[in-house]
């Protein structure tokens, strides 16, 4: 197959850049968007050539299947700029592969890997000045695909749009979160779409999360849908538990998303001499560990926040606090991963990809 090159990607530049209106010292997360986006249409049975166009609203037919049947998937990744103005991505091929795993499950046609990767590189070249350099900040990248094809018939659409937008973002800092262990609602089920980054997975999480918030928690810990005995994810992040000096995380499954941060943390921890175990963790084990003092840390892992520490959890009306650690695995691993992402240290794993 002929691979796509930069020359194949048509570029239409904006006439009115918003760059000068953005305060790079006060960036929220994913609130301002850069000047351009990559768009690529699927029609007549194939993906057409991607183009870079000014960031702008999209017009869709009211019968577009995204609105009715929810064929929609996305990815989340980041680009970083170092002090030499070199631009880096973090394990981008993993996002390409996962997007296509999600696509397959949602009956969406897979995107050629080079359309995504070369398209993204071309977009980053154009948006280079939008990549923040302040400590902890980055250009958040949101690739997504949705069904734009028309018709109320409940079947896969015949047309799709693949778009990549970017948003310069400050450090994602939410503070420590208090979480509620959820035993009524489920994020995902056996045989379902939990392993895919499907928009609908998020829609289904909002209501139980609202209920948890009303009770004073910031986030939900999802348990398995059958028994609710096993810990699966923390909101839309993978979850890690430190018992004594061992770092535990659940194996991925068709209910648990295969997070790139999760697998990077596992590799990094091993390299740092931290003992890791990938195995199912029971809620009762967590409660027991909290009671006997062996529960040292708990944190979520995902691209946006990298690592999000958990201060305590609620379970069946009881609250359990996780004591502050002087030298937490969370801060050690977060710093290691950010240093690799931003080219501050060497990258023994070959994760960084220079633009
Ligand atoms: C995106 C996501 C994650 C984290 O994946 P990363 O690749 O680390 O960003 C974890 N769980 C769910 C449900 C997600 O949607």
């Amino acid at each position: 197959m002929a691979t796509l090159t930069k020359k194949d990607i048509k570029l239409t530049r904006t006439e009115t850049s918003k760059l000068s209106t953005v305060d790079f010292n006060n960036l929220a997360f994913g609130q301002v968007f850069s000047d351009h986006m990559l768009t690529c249409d699927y029609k007549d049975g194939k993906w057409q050539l991607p183009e870079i166009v000014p960031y702008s609203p999209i017009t869709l037919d009211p019968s577009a299947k995204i609105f009715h049947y929810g064929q929609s998937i996305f990815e989340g990744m980041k680009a970083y700029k170092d002090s030499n103005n070199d631009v880096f991505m973090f394990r981008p091929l993993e996002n390409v592969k996962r997007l296509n795993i999600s696509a397959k499950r949602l009956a969406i046609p897979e995107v050629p890997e080079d359309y995504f990767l070369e398209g993204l590189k071309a977009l980053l070249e154009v948006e280079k000045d939008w990549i923040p350099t302040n400590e902890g900040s980055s250009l958040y990248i949101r690739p997504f695909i949705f069904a734009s094809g028309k018709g109320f018939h409940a079947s896969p659409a015949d047309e799709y749009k693949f778009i990549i937008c970017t948003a310069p973002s400050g450090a994602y800092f939410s503070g420590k979160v208090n979480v509620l262990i959820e035993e009524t609602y489920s994020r995902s089920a056996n045989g379902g779409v939990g392993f895919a980054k499907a928009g609908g997975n998020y829609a289904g999480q909002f209501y139980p999360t609202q209920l948890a918030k009303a009770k004073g928690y910031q986030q939900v810990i999802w348990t398995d849908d059958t028994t609710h005995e096993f810990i699966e994810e923390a909101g839309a992040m993978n979850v890690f538990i430190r018992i004594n000096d061992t770092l535990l995380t659940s194996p991925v499954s068709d209910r648990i998303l295969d997070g790139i941060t999760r697998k990077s943390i596992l590799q990094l921890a091993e390299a740092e001499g931290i003992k890791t175990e990938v195995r199912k963790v029971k809620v009762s084990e967590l409660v027991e560990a909290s009671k006997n003092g062996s529960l040292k840390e708990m944190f979520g892992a995902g691209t946006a926040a990298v690592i999000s520490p958990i201060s305590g959890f609620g379970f069946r009306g009881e609250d359990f606090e996780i004591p502050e650690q002087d030298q937490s695995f969370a801060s050690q691993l977060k710093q290691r991963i950010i240093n690799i992402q931003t080219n501050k240290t060497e990258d023994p794993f070959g994760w960084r990809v220079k633009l």
Side-chain angles (χ1 to χ4, degrees), residues 300-343:
T303 296
V306 186
I307 283 178
S308 175
I310 293 170
S311 57
F313 64 93
F315 179 61
R316 298 188 178 166
E318 227 184 308
D319 282 309
F320 299 84
E321 216 178 294
I322 304 172
E324 190 71 35
Q325 297 295 315
D326 280 344
Q327 291 189 313
S328 68
F329 286 177
S331 54
Q332 178 187 347
L333 293 168
K334 182 171 179 172
Q335 200 55 56
R336 281 285 288 136
I337 207 163
I338 289 177
N339 286 347
I340 292 176
Q341 289 169 329
T342 55
N343 196 30

Side-chain angles (χ1 to χ4, degrees), residues 74-77 94-95 98 140 187 194-198 201-202 205 222 232-239 255-264 301-306:
F74 67 94
E75 274 301 320
M77 53 202 298
E94 297 289 329
N95 295 95
R98 190 170 64 191
Y140 184 77
R187 191 191 79 86
F195 66 89
K197 258 184 130 62
N201 286 338
Y202 282 69
Q205 285 185 220
W222 301 106
E232 301 217 311
E233 294 210 58
M237 302 179 100
N238 295 112
V239 61
R255 299 182 309 274
I256 299 181
L257 193 118
D258 187 3
I260 298 160
T261 317
R262 173 188 172 280
K263 55 186 162 200
S264 305
T303 296
V306 186

